[in-house]
Amino acid sequence: MSTLVITEPYGRLGNRYLRLANLLATALETNSWLVDFSLRADHFQHGLAASAGRRYFVHPAMPARGAALGIHLDRLLTSAHKRGWLESFAEVVRNGREGHLEHLDTPAWTEKLSSARLFCFPDFNYQARTWLVRHGPRVRHLMRPATRPLERAREALEACRQHAPHVLGVHIRATDYHRWRQGSQFVPPEAFESQIEAYRKHRGGKIAVLIASDEPKIKDRFSARPGCFSFDLDLYEDLYALSLCDYLIGTGMSTYSAWASFVGEIPLLRLFPGEVPGPFTKAPIAFSPDFDYRA
């Protein structure tokens, strides 16, 4: 039985949840241990450890600003590999922020994971989409959010549903997308306004619109529109409020809205700059085998 270790807090919240979900699905598929040093245990209802049949999901309670132990382990093993030590015992699977995509749901990786070795995953671009679909219900159960964010998210949705029973969730990512990749992935608010109106016509009836954004001015702008709502929620509460909606429109490659789609098992329409999205009826559920969610 191998041990998979997530050693570093890599990227933002959606990146970390996405990586954990893929490696958790890998652990479930290959009967491996999984240890995560990248997230606090209190993110999830199950806390430190949760049984998964004969497999276990171990989740250390680490400080909010980084997992020193995991980072030191990664550096130690990386240094050992450069010197040719411990090759039969451990491997650091490093691919970098813009590195290649490491598909774990392959015969080659299945064979590697059948050995009793230690595998460290410090980066982000690891996917096991087939296994994530197969073990999706169990992954969602193990990663069920903590009670407080979920309660606040439900309160927000109840307020929306008082306006209309059908709620469209809209995630407008702005602050860091002005800078990331020289702003090439930023989608202006006007594009979301057009899509909201298109969705209203598609539904053919009254809807409520929940707006989530990292830019307060955008939230204020949309809240002034009839049937649009935004709430004073934190990062986690906004995320799970989106997951409780009936349909999602998200910003391009953002893993934040993709995670909400996976957790809530709801369709996600990704809005890219300068592109006309496909029909609403064909929007995929995030993390399905045909959904490319690498950012």
Side-chain angles (χ1 to χ4, degrees):
M1 178 185 295
S2 289
T3 299
L4 317 180
V5 183
I6 299 174
T7 56
E8 298 186 27
Y10 187 96
R12 302 183 71 176
L13 188 64
N15 301 103
R16 298 183 193 184
Y17 283 176
L18 182 153
R19 175 178 61 175
L20 175 56
N22 276 274
L23 288 172
L24 178 54
T26 299
L28 291 168
E29 178 71 22
T30 61
N31 195 27
S32 301
W33 284 80
L34 173 64
V35 181
D36 181 17
F37 290 110
S38 70
L39 291 164
R40 289 173 58 98
D42 56 10
H43 280 222
F44 310 111
Q45 288 187 17
H46 292 293
L48 287 176
S51 171
R54 292 178 300 155
R55 298 163 287 273
Y56 295 90
F57 167 45
V58 182
H59 211 299
M62 300 301 296
R65 291 192 173 274
L69 181 58
I71 292 172
H72 288 318
L73 176 62
D74 173 67
R75 290 174 179 172
L76 175 64
L77 292 176
T78 299
S79 177
H81 267 274
K82 288 180 179 179
R83 292 167 172 79
W85 305 340
L86 305 178
E87 291 186 0
S88 62
F89 169 73
E91 179 177 341
V92 178
V93 187
R94 186 180 296 279
N95 52 29
R97 180 176 293 272
E98 299 294 339
H100 74 282
L101 185 60
E102 190 74 45
H103 293 281
L104 303 178
D105 51 346
T106 62
W109 264 103
T110 301
E111 183 177 354
K112 288 178 68 171
L113 293 171
S114 65
S115 62
R117 299 179 67 203
L118 177 68
F119 295 90
C120 292
F121 297 88
D123 298 324
F124 165 63
N125 293 327
Y126 316 108
Q127 291 184 9
R129 287 187 282 190
T130 304
W131 295 344
L132 189 55
V133 172
R134 181 179 303 159
H135 298 286
R138 189 61 179 159
V139 172
R140 292 184 188 93
H141 173 73
L142 291 171
M143 296 184 67
R144 183 176 175 81
T147 301
R148 176 61 178 168
L150 197 55
E151 287 178 347
R152 292 270 291 158
R154 286 170 175 162
E155 291 170 0
L157 261 291
E158 288 175 7
C160 290
R161 295 194 193 280
Q162 289 179 5
H163 176 80
H166 187 91
V167 181
L168 169 66
V170 179
H171 172 228
I172 306 174
R173 187 163 174 172
T175 304
D176 64 331
Y177 268 34
H178 281 293
R179 303 183 303 272
W180 186 57
R181 294 185 178 177
Q182 292 76 50
S184 63
Q185 299 301 304
F186 175 72
V187 181
E190 294 79 8
F192 286 95
E193 291 174 342
S194 298
Q195 286 306 307
I196 290 171
E197 292 309 310
Y199 189 77
R200 290 187 198 274
K201 294 178 181 179
H202 167 74
R203 284 288 303 172
K206 188 177 182 181
I207 66 169
V209 182
L210 172 69
I211 302 295
S213 178
D214 55 354
E215 177 53 65
K217 291 182 180 179
I218 289 178
K219 296 176 74 171
D220 292 342
R221 170 179 176 164
F222 279 84
S223 296
R225 298 170 64 89
C228 291
F229 302 87
S230 65
F231 300 89
D232 186 19
L233 303 177
D234 66 20
L235 183 68
Y236 308 100
E237 295 160 355
D238 251 346
L239 177 63
Y240 291 108
L242 289 171
S243 77
L244 297 174
C245 295
D246 300 295
Y247 199 99
L248 289 179
I249 298 176
T251 304
M253 299 300 293
S254 174
T255 53
Y256 189 85
S257 47
W259 183 254
S261 173
F262 173 72
V263 172
E265 297 184 81
I266 51 177
L268 167 66
L269 181 69
R270 301 184 298 166
L271 190 57
F272 289 92
E275 293 187 6
V276 178
F280 289 108
T281 53
K282 295 182 180 180
I285 293 177
F287 298 166
S288 63
D290 59 345
F291 185 88
D292 182 8
Y293 49 86
R294 180 171 56 156

